Amino acid sequence: MPDEKSGNPAPGLRGSFVREAQDLGVDNTNFVKEALKWQYNWIGLSGAAAFALIAGSGFPLVLAAGLELIYVSLVPQSSRFRRLVRSWQYAEEKRRIDVRLQAMYKEIPPEMQVRYARLDQLCRSIRENYGRLSSTSQMFVKQMEDRLDGLLQGYLRLLQADHQHLEYLRVTDPNRIQLELTGLQRTLASDSVKVQEINRKRIEILTKRLEKFGKIHENCDVINAQCAATEDVLQLIRDQSVTLRDPQQVSDQLEGLVHDVEQTEETVREMESIFEMATPDMTTPFGALPSESASSTVPRNRLRN
């Protein structure tokens, strides 16, 4: 979420970063290794080594080795220590997600940043209003806040995808592609056999490019519709929060909205994957058209949950 002073996305992924950490295998942890790496363990070992050096005796090192064996056998099994290690890892994964979100936020144009800031402000208002509820309702409020965080993250990813798609549409001229395609089709019959082979491949590539242009345009429409729906629903929830409607109902509304956003992201990725699977078939020495390749190729960053 953008910070009010700096304008950068602030942390706000309490629910989503835990799921991503689990997906990345953060929970598959070697707790013995983590116990050995713990700073307090190294402080103890260093102290024993220093004491042995000062005393001129190896006894402190023997004692430290025995204590280390006891430490390694007991501490990694401690549920409190395991929770501590997981908190370190989740905090680190959260930091990485925040960095990625900040990079996404800086990549989108100012008008999209303003759009995101408005949605973030809506979420702040919802949190503030429901923050006044009694302690018995705070469990549902916490659940609602986690879904708001995940929703803002998905909304930002959609804005980034929209920006990338619009950049592709901006630098690609479908009329020029269609004109070149028509010309190749018109002269194909009169070409030599070898030229026909090359030009058939070019026709296939140009046809794919036109199809991709249409799909990218469709993606933009889907993304814009989903972003507008998200804004509408959050405005409604903000209005409802003024009268402090049941937070459980609000949380359920947000859960459905988060699901819709995730489905939209999945739809966009599926459309992109269709052309990615077709790309290897297009990679030939004559696959890149000199007239268009330099101006219409845009680096694509895949979206990640």
Side-chain angles (χ1 to χ4, degrees):
M1 305 170 200
D3 183 82
E4 290 179 349
K5 294 182 179 179
S6 66
N8 292 331
L13 307 169
R14 283 184 289 270
S16 57
F17 84 85
V18 171
R19 291 191 297 272
E20 181 156 344
Q22 291 171 339
D23 292 341
L24 293 174
V26 168
D27 276 353
N28 300 326
T29 304
N30 186 333
F31 291 102
V32 173
K33 181 179 178 181
E34 294 298 328
L36 291 172
K37 288 165 48 181
W38 199 15
Q39 60 175 343
Y40 294 110
N41 181 49
W42 283 104
I43 290 172
L45 292 175
S46 300
F51 185 72
L53 184 62
I54 295 171
S57 169
F59 179 73
L61 293 178
V62 174
L63 180 61
L67 292 174
E68 184 71 6
L69 289 175
I70 297 173
Y71 167 82
V72 169
S73 65
L74 295 179
V75 172
Q77 307 303 320
S78 168
S79 59
R80 181 175 297 180
F81 177 75
R82 293 191 172 207
R83 286 196 300 269
L84 179 62
V85 171
R86 289 192 180 101
S87 71
W88 295 339
Q89 295 176 324
Y90 290 151
E92 175 61 21
E93 184 58 31
K94 178 179 180 295
R95 186 193 66 79
R96 293 174 185 171
I97 294 174
D98 288 342
V99 169
R100 290 201 295 271
L101 288 178
Q102 289 174 7
M104 278 190 270
Y105 182 81
K106 292 175 181 177
E107 180 182 335
I108 61 178
E111 61 271 16
M112 288 187 177
Q113 291 180 358
V114 170
R115 191 175 181 183
Y116 179 84
R118 288 173 181 164
L119 195 77
D120 179 67
Q121 187 56 50
L122 275 176
C123 292
R124 289 173 186 266
S125 298
I126 294 170
R127 289 189 183 94
E128 289 172 2
N129 289 337
Y130 281 103
R132 300 195 298 268
L133 290 175
S134 64
S135 57
T136 57
S137 300
Q138 289 306 306
M139 179 183 68
F140 299 115
V141 173
K142 174 65 167 59
Q143 186 182 62
M144 178 185 65
E145 287 182 349
D146 289 344
R147 284 169 180 163
L148 284 173
D149 292 338
L151 185 62
L152 280 170
Q153 183 183 358
Y155 184 84
L156 182 56
R157 288 197 300 265
L158 287 180
L159 288 180
Q160 185 202 34
D162 191 39
H163 170 60
Q164 292 172 342
H165 288 11
L166 288 174
E167 279 296 295
Y168 175 86
L169 296 179
R170 183 180 64 82
V171 300
T172 304
D173 184 359
N175 294 326
R176 184 175 180 180
I177 298 173
Q178 182 62 62
L179 183 64
E180 190 167 2
L181 176 61
T182 302
L184 287 172
Q185 291 171 332
R186 184 173 58 249
T187 61
L188 185 63
S190 59
D191 292 332
S192 65
V193 175
K194 289 188 176 181
V195 173
Q196 282 185 10
E197 182 182 351
I198 294 173
N199 283 345
R200 284 195 182 95
K201 196 66 174 179
R202 292 183 64 192
I203 289 171
E204 182 181 355
I205 294 169
L206 292 172
T207 302
K208 286 287 185 183
R209 292 189 65 195
L210 286 176
E211 291 176 5
K212 182 173 184 177
F213 186 90
K215 288 294 185 182
I216 292 291
H217 199 285
E218 182 181 345
N219 276 358
C220 287
D221 292 340
V222 171
I223 291 171
N224 280 322
Q226 183 60 65
C227 286
T230 300
E231 294 161 1
D232 291 342
V233 172
L234 284 179
Q235 286 172 353
L236 174 62
I237 292 174
R238 191 272 314 275
D239 295 342
Q240 293 171 340
S241 70
V242 174
T243 57
L244 298 181
R245 185 184 174 188
D246 181 6
Q248 178 61 63
Q249 294 181 24
V250 173
S251 180
D252 292 342
Q253 276 184 308
L254 288 173
E255 183 179 15
L257 187 55
V258 169
H259 179 68
D260 290 343
V261 170
E262 290 173 347
Q263 277 194 323
T264 300
E265 288 187 84
E266 185 61 30
T267 298
V268 171
R269 284 195 295 269
E270 286 174 357
M271 288 183 178
E272 291 176 344
S273 67
I274 292 172
F275 293 100
E276 288 181 352
M277 287 187 293
T279 299
D281 297 332
M282 300 294 105
T283 53
T284 65
F286 46 87
L289 303 183
S291 61
E292 287 279 312
S293 60
S295 63
S296 62
T297 302
V298 178
R300 293 177 51 194
N301 298 322
R302 292 297 308 277
L303 291 176
R304 300 207 181 264
N305 291 334

